Amino acid sequence: MTARAVCFIDLDALAHNLAEVQRIVGPKVRVCGVVKANAYGHGAVPVARTLLRGGAGALAVACFEEAEELRTAGLAVPILILGGIDAELAADAVRLGLTPVVWDAEALREIASAVPSGRRLQIHLKVDTGMHRLGAAPSALEELIRTATELSVEVDGVLSHLACADEPENASVAAQLAEFEEALALAEEVGLRPRIRHLAASAGLLADARTHFDMVRAGLVLYGCLPHASFADRVTLRPVMELRTHVVQVKTIPPGDAVGYGFTWRAERQTRLAVLPIGYGQGYPRALSNRAHVAIGEATAPVVGTISMDHVTVDVTDVPDVEPGTEVVLWGGTGPDVMQLGKSAGTIGYELLSRVAHGVPRVYRGG
Ligand SMILES: *Cc1c(COP(=O)(O)O)cnc(C)c1O
């Protein structure tokens, strides 16, 4: 039996995109490959392996379990845990040589007290420069650094994160950059000179070289997507994921007949329909109902009617030679750009990539 849908992952494209990022930031800045959420749906271990082979200097994940998976797979590289860890995982984190991000002095005390004696915890400190997600307020940074020093925790890096770097000309980028530089100056006053200072993710690294510091945390661009169309002239990216399915049934309906749950689409002419065995249960978002197209060979076919859990229907009246088994590209490859589809679905491409269901097989090519 063939799979209802398959995610083809082009590891050569991934390596190409990494080389592009390295070209943009220059040889002195290290690239940290962000592989959280199963490498944005692409498969954490094969993606991480390809990135390391391509020269990435670090990896970043959201949580301990994701980091553990990479270490268990034998990947020897600094792994940053962006979401930090609880004290009960401190001993395991040290044993596995993981680097949690820390933003709170009290939490740091708890984590450090759980580290077995004779072992040294390595951390990166996160400062909140205005996004107001994770990070220590600049006013709390001094105490945090003093706490780390007093506990003889190794502060290998200091980081922050930009909120609006994907909006060209957004003034908050300069404000956050200034705030970060102030935090670094304060750290230095208190005696901390972190080896790795990092601020930029994909959008920041493309938008402004002043955000590069010692390392950039690249996610989206590595997977071949532009955070904003205006960056297109700065970088040549190749999409890494191609989501494919095939036709399971073809039928012709008369004008006036409707399609799918709620009859949200009605045929204006005699219409040939193709039914595809993928729906929101596999990660093709329902919000794309009547708002997307798919690629079939050289042609495109619009999605018609409401996308259901396991099926979607497309109008193939103008597409020649469609029959059960005909291959269909939902995004990537010859199909639509996933960032554009994300927009059509009222979300962002990141969400579409990371929500392709686990049950959809990933097939790796190249690398
Ligand atoms: C997800 C994430 C990144 C990567 O962001 P992209 O836009 O995908 O490059 C970098 N840093 C942090 C803190 C993140 O959470």
Side-chain angles (χ1 to χ4, degrees):
M1 218 188 91
T2 50
R4 301 160 54 184
V6 178
C7 241
F8 290 94
I9 307 296
D10 183 347
L11 296 174
D12 290 338
L14 179 69
H16 164 86
N17 298 334
L18 172 62
E20 276 291 273
V21 172
Q22 194 72 68
R23 174 184 66 76
I24 286 164
V25 300
K28 293 199 182 109
V29 175
R30 83 171 73 185
V31 178
C32 171
V34 180
V35 295
K36 64 194 180 192
N38 196 31
Y40 295 37
H42 294 67
V45 170
V47 163
R49 278 216 176 93
T50 302
L51 293 178
L52 296 194
R53 218 175 291 137
L59 298 170
V61 295
C63 63
F64 174 83
E65 289 73 15
E66 292 178 341
E68 187 180 33
E69 184 192 359
L70 297 174
R71 272 290 183 267
T72 306
L75 296 170
V77 63
I79 302 177
L80 203 56
I81 304 177
L82 297 169
I85 56 164
D86 290 337
E88 67 244 36
L89 291 169
D92 286 331
V94 170
R95 177 176 55 80
L96 294 170
L98 306 174
T99 311
V101 170
V102 174
W103 51 85
D104 179 79
E106 191 47 45
L108 179 56
R109 271 191 206 97
E110 282 173 30
I111 293 167
S113 70
V115 173
S117 59
R119 302 301 295 266
R120 194 140 191 251
L121 175 70
Q122 186 186 78
I123 62 168
H124 282 207
L125 292 182
K126 187 159 192 184
V127 51
D128 176 6
T129 53
M131 182 169 174
H132 301 328
R133 201 173 62 177
L134 293 179
S139 61
L141 187 61
E142 184 171 341
E143 195 211 336
L144 182 56
I145 294 169
R146 288 193 195 286
T147 305
T149 311
E150 172 193 310
L151 296 168
S152 40
V153 168
E154 183 189 343
V155 181
D156 188 46
V158 171
L159 72 146
S160 190
H161 193 44
L162 299 169
C164 304
D166 58 351
E167 296 167 22
E169 320 279 308
N170 191 304
S172 75
V173 177
Q176 285 199 262
L177 180 61
E179 193 71 62
F180 188 56
E181 274 167 344
E182 220 163 283
L184 292 170
L186 176 112
E188 198 166 335
E189 271 168 41
V190 195
L192 175 70
R193 296 186 109 235
R195 199 167 59 90
I196 308 174
R197 302 159 299 162
H198 49 119
L199 177 63
S202 293
L205 80 88
L206 290 172
D208 189 339
R210 291 173 305 167
T211 65
H212 294 173
F213 293 94
D214 305 306
M215 183 168 88
V216 294
R217 301 183 305 270
L220 191 72
V221 277
L222 294 180
Y223 305 108
C225 302
L226 276 180
H228 191 278
S230 68
F231 297 133
D233 57 349
R234 303 185 193 179
V235 64
T236 312
L237 299 172
R238 286 167 52 189
V240 175
M241 181 191 289
E242 180 181 352
L243 182 61
R244 278 200 216 164
T245 184
H246 57 272
V247 174
V248 284
Q249 193 188 6
V250 177
K251 63 184 59 176
T252 300
I253 62 166
D257 271 20
V259 173
Y261 286 124
F263 285 165
T264 62
W265 186 86
R266 202 168 283 279
E268 280 170 7
R269 56 177 176 171
Q270 177 166 299
T271 300
R272 242 161 88 79
L273 299 170
V275 183
L276 316 178
I278 184 170
Y280 60 82
Q282 291 77 44
Y284 194 67
R286 188 173 178 276
L288 287 177
S289 300
N290 297 306
R291 302 182 66 97
H293 65 272
V294 300
I296 302 177
E298 309 267 276
T300 62
V303 167
V304 294
T306 304
I307 293 168
S308 47
M309 191 180 289
D310 294 284
H311 294 100
V312 56
T313 308
V314 295
D315 177 352
V316 294
T317 314
D318 302 321
V319 184
D321 307 324
V322 177
E323 56 188 25
T326 298
E327 209 161 71
V328 176
V329 182
L330 298 157
W331 67 61
T334 55
D337 169 37
V338 73
M339 295 303 279
Q340 196 52 53
L341 278 185
K343 219 177 256 178
S344 303
T347 177
I348 50 178
Y350 293 77
E351 189 172 348
L352 272 58
L353 293 172
S354 63
R355 290 180 72 132
V356 175
H358 272 284
V360 176
R362 269 67 170 176
V363 175
Y364 294 91
R365 297 195 288 206

